[in-house]
Short mmCIF file of all heavy atoms in Angstrom, two decimals:
data_model
loop_
_atom_site.label_atom_id
_atom_site.label_comp_id
_atom_site.label_asym_id
_atom_site.label_seq_id
_atom_site.Cartn_x
_atom_site.Cartn_y
_atom_site.Cartn_z
N MET A 1 -9.43 12.07 -9.82
CA MET A 1 -9.45 11.85 -8.35
C MET A 1 -8.26 11.00 -7.94
O MET A 1 -7.85 10.09 -8.63
CB MET A 1 -10.74 11.13 -7.97
CG MET A 1 -11.19 11.48 -6.55
SD MET A 1 -12.72 10.61 -6.11
CE MET A 1 -12.04 9.20 -5.23
N LYS A 2 -7.74 11.35 -6.77
CA LYS A 2 -6.56 10.63 -6.30
C LYS A 2 -6.98 9.25 -5.73
O LYS A 2 -8.00 9.14 -5.09
CB LYS A 2 -5.90 11.48 -5.18
CG LYS A 2 -4.38 11.50 -5.34
CD LYS A 2 -3.72 12.40 -4.30
CE LYS A 2 -2.23 12.17 -4.33
NZ LYS A 2 -1.55 12.87 -3.24
N LYS A 3 -6.13 8.33 -5.97
CA LYS A 3 -6.40 6.96 -5.45
C LYS A 3 -6.34 7.00 -3.91
O LYS A 3 -5.62 7.77 -3.34
CB LYS A 3 -5.28 6.03 -5.93
CG LYS A 3 -5.39 5.51 -7.32
CD LYS A 3 -4.24 4.56 -7.55
CE LYS A 3 -4.49 3.58 -8.63
NZ LYS A 3 -3.52 2.48 -8.62
N LYS A 4 -7.02 6.02 -3.34
CA LYS A 4 -6.94 5.91 -1.88
C LYS A 4 -6.02 4.76 -1.48
O LYS A 4 -5.99 3.70 -2.15
CB LYS A 4 -8.30 5.77 -1.23
CG LYS A 4 -9.06 4.56 -1.66
CD LYS A 4 -10.40 4.48 -0.94
CE LYS A 4 -11.17 3.28 -1.47
NZ LYS A 4 -12.06 2.64 -0.59
N ALA A 5 -5.29 4.98 -0.43
CA ALA A 5 -4.34 3.96 0.06
C ALA A 5 -4.76 3.56 1.48
O ALA A 5 -5.24 4.39 2.24
CB ALA A 5 -2.95 4.47 0.07
N CYS A 6 -4.57 2.30 1.77
CA CYS A 6 -4.85 1.81 3.15
C CYS A 6 -3.90 2.45 4.12
O CYS A 6 -2.69 2.53 3.91
CB CYS A 6 -4.66 0.28 3.15
SG CYS A 6 -4.80 -0.44 4.78
N ARG A 7 -4.46 2.96 5.22
CA ARG A 7 -3.65 3.65 6.23
C ARG A 7 -2.70 2.71 6.95
O ARG A 7 -1.63 3.10 7.43
CB ARG A 7 -4.59 4.21 7.27
CG ARG A 7 -4.48 5.71 7.41
CD ARG A 7 -5.42 6.17 8.48
NE ARG A 7 -6.31 7.22 8.00
CZ ARG A 7 -5.92 8.46 7.88
NH1 ARG A 7 -4.69 8.85 8.23
NH2 ARG A 7 -6.74 9.40 7.40
N LYS A 8 -3.09 1.46 7.01
CA LYS A 8 -2.29 0.46 7.77
C LYS A 8 -1.14 -0.09 6.96
O LYS A 8 -0.01 -0.03 7.35
CB LYS A 8 -3.22 -0.61 8.25
CG LYS A 8 -2.89 -1.23 9.58
CD LYS A 8 -4.09 -1.97 10.05
CE LYS A 8 -3.73 -3.12 10.97
NZ LYS A 8 -4.93 -3.97 11.23
N CYS A 9 -1.47 -0.68 5.78
CA CYS A 9 -0.44 -1.39 5.02
C CYS A 9 -0.07 -0.63 3.76
O CYS A 9 0.86 -1.06 3.07
CB CYS A 9 -0.90 -2.81 4.70
SG CYS A 9 -2.19 -2.88 3.48
N LYS A 10 -0.72 0.49 3.50
CA LYS A 10 -0.37 1.39 2.37
C LYS A 10 -0.73 0.86 0.97
O LYS A 10 -0.34 1.45 -0.03
CB LYS A 10 1.11 1.76 2.38
CG LYS A 10 1.59 2.31 3.71
CD LYS A 10 2.99 2.85 3.58
CE LYS A 10 3.57 3.40 4.87
NZ LYS A 10 4.08 2.34 5.71
N LEU A 11 -1.46 -0.24 0.89
CA LEU A 11 -1.88 -0.77 -0.40
C LEU A 11 -2.93 0.17 -1.03
O LEU A 11 -3.81 0.65 -0.34
CB LEU A 11 -2.49 -2.16 -0.22
CG LEU A 11 -3.02 -2.84 -1.46
CD1 LEU A 11 -1.88 -3.44 -2.25
CD2 LEU A 11 -4.04 -3.90 -1.12
N PHE A 12 -2.82 0.37 -2.37
CA PHE A 12 -3.89 1.06 -3.07
C PHE A 12 -5.02 0.11 -3.35
O PHE A 12 -4.82 -1.00 -3.81
CB PHE A 12 -3.37 1.62 -4.41
CG PHE A 12 -2.46 2.79 -4.25
CD1 PHE A 12 -1.13 2.67 -4.58
CD2 PHE A 12 -2.92 4.01 -3.76
CE1 PHE A 12 -0.27 3.76 -4.43
CE2 PHE A 12 -2.10 5.09 -3.63
CZ PHE A 12 -0.75 4.96 -3.97
N THR A 13 -6.26 0.54 -3.09
CA THR A 13 -7.38 -0.31 -3.35
C THR A 13 -8.62 0.53 -3.66
O THR A 13 -8.70 1.71 -3.25
CB THR A 13 -7.68 -1.25 -2.17
OG1 THR A 13 -8.80 -2.08 -2.51
CG2 THR A 13 -7.96 -0.51 -0.90
N GLU A 14 -9.53 -0.09 -4.39
CA GLU A 14 -10.81 0.57 -4.66
C GLU A 14 -11.87 0.06 -3.70
O GLU A 14 -13.01 0.52 -3.68
CB GLU A 14 -11.27 0.28 -6.11
CG GLU A 14 -10.31 0.77 -7.19
CD GLU A 14 -10.22 2.26 -7.17
OE1 GLU A 14 -11.24 2.94 -7.11
OE2 GLU A 14 -9.07 2.81 -7.23
N ASP A 15 -11.53 -0.96 -2.97
CA ASP A 15 -12.50 -1.62 -2.06
C ASP A 15 -12.70 -0.89 -0.77
O ASP A 15 -11.91 -0.01 -0.43
CB ASP A 15 -12.04 -3.06 -1.77
CG ASP A 15 -11.89 -3.87 -3.04
OD1 ASP A 15 -12.55 -3.57 -4.02
OD2 ASP A 15 -11.06 -4.81 -3.02
N ASP A 16 -13.80 -1.23 -0.10
CA ASP A 16 -14.07 -0.59 1.21
C ASP A 16 -13.33 -1.30 2.34
O ASP A 16 -13.20 -0.75 3.44
CB ASP A 16 -15.58 -0.64 1.52
CG ASP A 16 -16.35 0.29 0.55
OD1 ASP A 16 -15.75 1.27 0.12
OD2 ASP A 16 -17.53 -0.02 0.26
N VAL A 17 -12.90 -2.52 2.06
CA VAL A 17 -12.08 -3.22 3.04
C VAL A 17 -10.79 -3.62 2.36
O VAL A 17 -10.78 -4.14 1.22
CB VAL A 17 -12.80 -4.51 3.56
CG1 VAL A 17 -11.94 -5.31 4.47
CG2 VAL A 17 -14.14 -4.12 4.22
N CYS A 18 -9.68 -3.35 2.99
CA CYS A 18 -8.37 -3.69 2.40
C CYS A 18 -8.23 -5.18 2.20
O CYS A 18 -8.42 -5.92 3.13
CB CYS A 18 -7.26 -3.14 3.29
SG CYS A 18 -5.63 -3.60 2.72
N PRO A 19 -7.92 -5.62 0.99
CA PRO A 19 -7.79 -7.07 0.72
C PRO A 19 -6.57 -7.71 1.42
O PRO A 19 -6.52 -8.92 1.61
CB PRO A 19 -7.64 -7.15 -0.80
CG PRO A 19 -7.20 -5.82 -1.24
CD PRO A 19 -7.75 -4.82 -0.26
N VAL A 20 -5.62 -6.89 1.80
CA VAL A 20 -4.41 -7.45 2.45
C VAL A 20 -4.56 -7.51 3.98
O VAL A 20 -4.43 -8.56 4.58
CB VAL A 20 -3.17 -6.63 2.05
CG1 VAL A 20 -1.98 -7.01 2.91
CG2 VAL A 20 -2.85 -6.84 0.61
N CYS A 21 -4.86 -6.37 4.61
CA CYS A 21 -4.83 -6.34 6.08
C CYS A 21 -6.24 -6.24 6.69
O CYS A 21 -6.37 -6.22 7.89
CB CYS A 21 -3.94 -5.20 6.60
SG CYS A 21 -4.69 -3.58 6.36
N LYS A 22 -7.24 -6.19 5.83
CA LYS A 22 -8.65 -6.06 6.24
C LYS A 22 -8.95 -4.74 6.98
O LYS A 22 -9.96 -4.62 7.62
CB LYS A 22 -9.08 -7.23 7.13
CG LYS A 22 -8.69 -8.62 6.62
CD LYS A 22 -9.43 -8.91 5.35
CE LYS A 22 -8.94 -10.31 4.76
NZ LYS A 22 -9.20 -10.38 3.33
N GLY A 23 -8.03 -3.80 6.83
CA GLY A 23 -8.26 -2.50 7.43
C GLY A 23 -9.38 -1.76 6.72
O GLY A 23 -9.65 -2.02 5.56
N GLN A 24 -10.00 -0.82 7.41
CA GLN A 24 -11.10 -0.09 6.82
C GLN A 24 -10.88 1.41 6.87
O GLN A 24 -11.80 2.21 6.68
CB GLN A 24 -12.43 -0.44 7.51
CG GLN A 24 -12.85 -1.89 7.20
CD GLN A 24 -14.08 -2.31 7.94
OE1 GLN A 24 -15.03 -1.54 8.08
NE2 GLN A 24 -14.12 -3.56 8.42
N THR A 25 -9.68 1.82 7.12
CA THR A 25 -9.41 3.26 7.06
C THR A 25 -8.42 3.52 5.94
O THR A 25 -7.40 2.88 5.78
CB THR A 25 -8.81 3.80 8.39
OG1 THR A 25 -7.71 2.95 8.81
CG2 THR A 25 -9.87 3.82 9.49
N PHE A 26 -8.78 4.51 5.12
CA PHE A 26 -8.03 4.83 3.93
C PHE A 26 -7.69 6.30 3.91
O PHE A 26 -8.34 7.12 4.59
CB PHE A 26 -8.82 4.43 2.66
CG PHE A 26 -9.16 2.97 2.63
CD1 PHE A 26 -10.36 2.52 3.15
CD2 PHE A 26 -8.26 2.06 2.13
CE1 PHE A 26 -10.68 1.17 3.14
CE2 PHE A 26 -8.56 0.70 2.11
CZ PHE A 26 -9.76 0.28 2.63
N THR A 27 -6.72 6.67 3.10
CA THR A 27 -6.37 8.04 2.97
C THR A 27 -5.99 8.39 1.52
O THR A 27 -5.47 7.50 0.82
CB THR A 27 -5.19 8.43 3.90
OG1 THR A 27 -4.87 9.77 3.73
CG2 THR A 27 -3.94 7.57 3.63
N THR A 28 -6.33 9.57 1.13
CA THR A 28 -5.85 10.03 -0.21
C THR A 28 -4.64 10.97 -0.01
O THR A 28 -4.13 11.50 -0.95
CB THR A 28 -6.94 10.77 -0.99
OG1 THR A 28 -7.51 11.80 -0.15
CG2 THR A 28 -8.08 9.84 -1.39
N ASN A 29 -4.23 11.08 1.24
CA ASN A 29 -3.09 11.93 1.57
C ASN A 29 -1.82 11.05 1.65
O ASN A 29 -1.37 10.72 2.75
CB ASN A 29 -3.36 12.64 2.89
CG ASN A 29 -2.39 13.79 3.14
OD1 ASN A 29 -1.46 14.00 2.35
ND2 ASN A 29 -2.59 14.53 4.22
N TRP A 30 -1.32 10.74 0.46
CA TRP A 30 -0.12 9.88 0.41
C TRP A 30 0.91 10.45 -0.53
O TRP A 30 0.59 11.35 -1.33
CB TRP A 30 -0.52 8.46 -0.06
CG TRP A 30 -1.34 8.44 -1.34
CD1 TRP A 30 -2.70 8.39 -1.40
CD2 TRP A 30 -0.88 8.51 -2.67
NE1 TRP A 30 -3.10 8.42 -2.71
CE2 TRP A 30 -2.01 8.51 -3.53
CE3 TRP A 30 0.40 8.63 -3.27
CZ2 TRP A 30 -1.90 8.57 -4.91
CZ3 TRP A 30 0.50 8.68 -4.64
CH2 TRP A 30 -0.64 8.66 -5.43
N GLN A 31 2.14 10.01 -0.42
CA GLN A 31 3.23 10.49 -1.27
C GLN A 31 3.95 9.34 -1.86
O GLN A 31 4.36 8.41 -1.15
CB GLN A 31 4.18 11.33 -0.44
CG GLN A 31 3.67 12.70 -0.11
CD GLN A 31 4.72 13.51 0.59
OE1 GLN A 31 5.44 12.99 1.44
NE2 GLN A 31 4.81 14.76 0.28
N GLY A 32 4.13 9.39 -3.19
CA GLY A 32 4.93 8.38 -3.87
C GLY A 32 4.20 7.06 -3.98
O GLY A 32 3.30 6.76 -3.22
N ARG A 33 4.53 6.32 -5.02
CA ARG A 33 3.96 5.00 -5.17
C ARG A 33 4.93 4.03 -5.75
O ARG A 33 5.85 4.42 -6.48
CB ARG A 33 2.65 5.08 -6.03
CG ARG A 33 2.83 5.86 -7.29
CD ARG A 33 1.47 6.40 -7.66
NE ARG A 33 0.82 5.48 -8.59
CZ ARG A 33 -0.30 5.80 -9.29
NH1 ARG A 33 -0.86 6.95 -9.15
NH2 ARG A 33 -0.81 4.93 -10.12
N ILE A 34 4.76 2.77 -5.37
CA ILE A 34 5.72 1.75 -5.79
C ILE A 34 4.98 0.46 -6.01
O ILE A 34 4.01 0.15 -5.29
CB ILE A 34 6.84 1.61 -4.68
CG1 ILE A 34 7.92 0.68 -5.12
CG2 ILE A 34 6.24 1.17 -3.31
CD1 ILE A 34 9.19 0.83 -4.30
N PHE A 35 5.38 -0.26 -7.03
CA PHE A 35 4.74 -1.54 -7.32
C PHE A 35 5.66 -2.69 -6.97
O PHE A 35 6.79 -2.74 -7.44
CB PHE A 35 4.31 -1.62 -8.81
CG PHE A 35 3.39 -2.75 -9.09
CD1 PHE A 35 2.01 -2.55 -8.99
CD2 PHE A 35 3.86 -4.03 -9.39
CE1 PHE A 35 1.11 -3.58 -9.27
CE2 PHE A 35 3.00 -5.06 -9.65
CZ PHE A 35 1.60 -4.86 -9.57
N PHE A 36 5.19 -3.57 -6.11
CA PHE A 36 5.96 -4.76 -5.77
C PHE A 36 5.43 -5.99 -6.49
O PHE A 36 4.27 -6.36 -6.32
CB PHE A 36 5.96 -5.00 -4.26
CG PHE A 36 6.64 -3.95 -3.47
CD1 PHE A 36 5.92 -3.15 -2.57
CD2 PHE A 36 7.99 -3.73 -3.60
CE1 PHE A 36 6.56 -2.16 -1.84
CE2 PHE A 36 8.63 -2.74 -2.86
CZ PHE A 36 7.92 -1.96 -1.98
N LEU A 37 6.29 -6.58 -7.30
CA LEU A 37 5.90 -7.80 -7.99
C LEU A 37 6.33 -9.02 -7.18
O LEU A 37 5.64 -10.04 -7.14
CB LEU A 37 6.65 -7.89 -9.34
CG LEU A 37 5.90 -7.45 -10.55
CD1 LEU A 37 6.76 -7.65 -11.78
CD2 LEU A 37 4.57 -8.16 -10.69
N ASN A 38 7.43 -8.85 -6.49
CA ASN A 38 8.01 -9.96 -5.76
C ASN A 38 8.52 -9.46 -4.41
O ASN A 38 9.73 -9.42 -4.15
CB ASN A 38 9.21 -10.49 -6.59
CG ASN A 38 9.28 -11.98 -6.51
OD1 ASN A 38 8.87 -12.58 -5.49
ND2 ASN A 38 9.82 -12.59 -7.50
N PRO A 39 7.56 -9.08 -3.53
CA PRO A 39 7.95 -8.38 -2.30
C PRO A 39 8.85 -9.23 -1.40
O PRO A 39 9.66 -8.64 -0.65
CB PRO A 39 6.62 -8.12 -1.61
CG PRO A 39 5.60 -8.97 -2.28
CD PRO A 39 6.11 -9.19 -3.66
N LYS A 40 8.77 -10.51 -1.49
CA LYS A 40 9.63 -11.37 -0.64
C LYS A 40 11.08 -11.26 -0.98
O LYS A 40 11.97 -11.63 -0.20
CB LYS A 40 9.12 -12.81 -0.64
CG LYS A 40 7.77 -12.87 0.02
CD LYS A 40 7.35 -14.28 0.36
CE LYS A 40 6.10 -14.26 1.22
NZ LYS A 40 4.91 -13.80 0.45
N LYS A 41 11.35 -10.81 -2.21
CA LYS A 41 12.76 -10.68 -2.66
C LYS A 41 13.22 -9.21 -2.66
O LYS A 41 14.30 -8.92 -3.15
CB LYS A 41 12.91 -11.28 -4.05
CG LYS A 41 12.78 -12.77 -4.03
CD LYS A 41 13.08 -13.36 -5.39
CE LYS A 41 12.91 -14.88 -5.35
NZ LYS A 41 12.82 -15.43 -6.73
N SER A 42 12.36 -8.32 -2.20
CA SER A 42 12.71 -6.89 -2.27
C SER A 42 13.07 -6.33 -0.90
O SER A 42 12.31 -6.50 0.06
CB SER A 42 11.50 -6.12 -2.88
OG SER A 42 11.63 -4.75 -2.57
N MET A 43 14.20 -5.70 -0.82
CA MET A 43 14.64 -5.03 0.41
C MET A 43 13.69 -3.93 0.83
O MET A 43 13.39 -3.76 2.00
CB MET A 43 16.05 -4.38 0.23
CG MET A 43 17.24 -5.23 0.72
SD MET A 43 16.97 -6.19 2.24
CE MET A 43 17.27 -4.97 3.48
N ILE A 44 13.25 -3.17 -0.20
CA ILE A 44 12.35 -2.06 0.12
C ILE A 44 11.04 -2.57 0.70
O ILE A 44 10.52 -2.05 1.67
CB ILE A 44 12.08 -1.24 -1.16
CG1 ILE A 44 13.38 -0.74 -1.79
CG2 ILE A 44 11.23 0.02 -0.82
CD1 ILE A 44 13.24 -0.27 -3.22
N ALA A 45 10.53 -3.64 0.07
CA ALA A 45 9.30 -4.25 0.57
C ALA A 45 9.49 -4.72 2.02
O ALA A 45 8.65 -4.55 2.86
CB ALA A 45 8.87 -5.42 -0.33
N HIS A 46 10.66 -5.28 2.24
CA HIS A 46 10.95 -5.78 3.60
C HIS A 46 10.97 -4.61 4.59
O HIS A 46 10.38 -4.74 5.67
CB HIS A 46 12.32 -6.49 3.60
CG HIS A 46 12.69 -7.04 4.91
ND1 HIS A 46 12.12 -8.18 5.44
CD2 HIS A 46 13.56 -6.59 5.86
CE1 HIS A 46 12.60 -8.41 6.65
NE2 HIS A 46 13.49 -7.47 6.92
N GLU A 47 11.59 -3.51 4.21
CA GLU A 47 11.65 -2.35 5.09
C GLU A 47 10.26 -1.73 5.32
O GLU A 47 9.97 -1.24 6.38
CB GLU A 47 12.57 -1.26 4.50
CG GLU A 47 14.02 -1.56 4.84
CD GLU A 47 14.95 -0.67 4.03
OE1 GLU A 47 14.57 0.41 3.66
OE2 GLU A 47 16.13 -1.09 3.84
N MET A 48 9.42 -1.83 4.30
CA MET A 48 8.07 -1.30 4.44
C MET A 48 7.09 -2.32 5.03
O MET A 48 5.93 -2.03 5.25
CB MET A 48 7.53 -0.83 3.06
CG MET A 48 8.16 0.42 2.58
SD MET A 48 7.72 0.79 0.83
CE MET A 48 5.94 1.03 0.99
N ASP A 49 7.63 -3.50 5.28
CA ASP A 49 6.83 -4.57 5.86
C ASP A 49 5.69 -5.00 4.93
O ASP A 49 4.57 -5.25 5.33
CB ASP A 49 6.29 -4.15 7.22
CG ASP A 49 6.02 -5.35 8.09
OD1 ASP A 49 6.62 -6.43 7.83
OD2 ASP A 49 5.24 -5.30 9.06
N VAL A 50 5.99 -5.06 3.63
CA VAL A 50 5.01 -5.49 2.61
C VAL A 50 5.19 -6.99 2.33
O VAL A 50 6.28 -7.43 2.06
CB VAL A 50 5.20 -4.67 1.30
CG1 VAL A 50 4.44 -5.30 0.16
CG2 VAL A 50 4.78 -3.25 1.50
N GLN A 51 4.08 -7.71 2.44
CA GLN A 51 4.13 -9.16 2.19
C GLN A 51 3.52 -9.55 0.88
O GLN A 51 3.79 -10.63 0.36
CB GLN A 51 3.37 -9.91 3.32
CG GLN A 51 3.64 -9.41 4.72
CD GLN A 51 4.96 -9.98 5.24
OE1 GLN A 51 5.48 -11.02 4.77
NE2 GLN A 51 5.54 -9.33 6.23
N ASN A 52 2.63 -8.73 0.38
CA ASN A 52 1.82 -9.11 -0.78
C ASN A 52 2.14 -8.26 -2.01
O ASN A 52 2.40 -7.09 -1.86
CB ASN A 52 0.33 -9.00 -0.46
CG ASN A 52 -0.09 -9.94 0.60
OD1 ASN A 52 0.31 -9.84 1.74
ND2 ASN A 52 -0.90 -10.90 0.23
N GLU A 53 2.07 -8.88 -3.16
CA GLU A 53 2.25 -8.19 -4.42
C GLU A 53 1.16 -7.10 -4.58
O GLU A 53 0.05 -7.25 -4.13
CB GLU A 53 2.05 -9.25 -5.52
CG GLU A 53 2.13 -8.71 -6.90
CD GLU A 53 1.84 -9.84 -7.93
OE1 GLU A 53 2.30 -10.96 -7.72
OE2 GLU A 53 1.15 -9.53 -8.92
N GLY A 54 1.52 -5.97 -5.21
CA GLY A 54 0.56 -4.93 -5.44
C GLY A 54 1.22 -3.59 -5.48
O GLY A 54 2.44 -3.45 -5.32
N GLU A 55 0.36 -2.54 -5.62
CA GLU A 55 0.87 -1.19 -5.66
C GLU A 55 0.64 -0.54 -4.31
O GLU A 55 -0.46 -0.54 -3.78
CB GLU A 55 0.18 -0.41 -6.77
CG GLU A 55 0.88 0.92 -7.01
CD GLU A 55 0.20 1.71 -8.15
OE1 GLU A 55 -0.98 1.48 -8.43
OE2 GLU A 55 0.90 2.57 -8.69
N TYR A 56 1.67 0.07 -3.77
CA TYR A 56 1.68 0.68 -2.46
C TYR A 56 2.09 2.14 -2.49
O TYR A 56 2.87 2.52 -3.33
CB TYR A 56 2.61 -0.09 -1.52
CG TYR A 56 2.15 -1.49 -1.20
CD1 TYR A 56 2.38 -2.51 -2.08
CD2 TYR A 56 1.49 -1.79 -0.01
CE1 TYR A 56 1.94 -3.81 -1.83
CE2 TYR A 56 1.07 -3.07 0.28
CZ TYR A 56 1.31 -4.07 -0.66
OH TYR A 56 0.86 -5.34 -0.40
N ALA A 57 1.56 2.89 -1.54
CA ALA A 57 2.03 4.26 -1.33
C ALA A 57 3.31 4.16 -0.50
O ALA A 57 3.46 3.30 0.33
CB ALA A 57 1.00 5.06 -0.59
N ILE A 58 4.25 5.08 -0.77
CA ILE A 58 5.48 5.06 -0.01
C ILE A 58 5.26 5.69 1.38
O ILE A 58 5.73 5.20 2.41
CB ILE A 58 6.61 5.75 -0.78
CG1 ILE A 58 6.94 4.89 -2.03
CG2 ILE A 58 7.85 5.96 0.10
CD1 ILE A 58 7.83 5.56 -3.01
N LYS A 59 4.50 6.80 1.40
CA LYS A 59 4.20 7.44 2.68
C LYS A 59 2.69 7.74 2.74
O LYS A 59 2.14 8.22 1.79
CB LYS A 59 4.91 8.79 2.80
CG LYS A 59 6.30 8.70 3.31
CD LYS A 59 6.80 10.12 3.57
CE LYS A 59 8.29 10.12 3.88
NZ LYS A 59 8.83 11.49 3.92
N VAL A 60 2.11 7.46 3.88
CA VAL A 60 0.70 7.89 4.08
C VAL A 60 0.60 8.72 5.34
O VAL A 60 1.42 8.60 6.22
CB VAL A 60 -0.30 6.67 4.18
CG1 VAL A 60 -0.34 5.91 2.90
CG2 VAL A 60 0.07 5.78 5.33
N ARG A 61 -0.43 9.57 5.37
CA ARG A 61 -0.70 10.32 6.60
C ARG A 61 -2.04 9.96 7.17
O ARG A 61 -2.91 9.53 6.44
CB ARG A 61 -0.68 11.81 6.26
CG ARG A 61 0.68 12.36 6.43
CD ARG A 61 0.66 13.73 5.84
NE ARG A 61 1.72 13.76 4.84
CZ ARG A 61 2.63 14.76 4.78
NH1 ARG A 61 2.54 15.74 5.60
NH2 ARG A 61 3.56 14.68 3.88
ZN1 ZN B 1 -4.26 -2.63 4.31
#
């Protein structure tokens, strides 16, 4: 089964509530994945507006 990603912040989670943005809408319709260890030092994380460490989808629908 495909992982689900938060629609709002794109974090992958198994929870019913996103631990980062507290969003409750998820999608399995995503493309690409990226792991940020140190998002505050990453340009890509900055462009994606990622503040927290974790695995994120690059694109969600
Ligand atoms: Zn979220």
Side-chain angles (χ1 to χ4, degrees):
M1 208 180 97
K2 224 176 170 187
K3 281 183 158 193
K4 62 179 176 148
C6 175
R7 241 181 232 281
K8 213 163 152 191
C9 70
K10 306 189 182 82
L11 179 79
F12 287 112
T13 180
E14 299 295 315
D15 301 333
D16 291 331
V17 176
C18 175
V20 169
C21 72
K22 312 295 176 202
Q24 290 176 40
T25 49
F26 300 94
T27 179
T28 52
N29 195 356
W30 50 265
Q31 284 185 320
R33 48 207 266 193
I34 186 162
F35 193 90
F36 293 116
L37 263 183
N38 218 331
K40 293 195 171 67
K41 290 185 182 165
S42 162
M43 262 323 277
I44 305 164
H46 182 75
E47 278 169 25
M48 287 171 64
D49 207 20
V50 167
Q51 313 282 339
N52 295 68
E53 176 184 321
E55 191 179 24
Y56 292 80
I58 293 169
K59 275 188 189 172
V60 296
R61 269 169 236 229

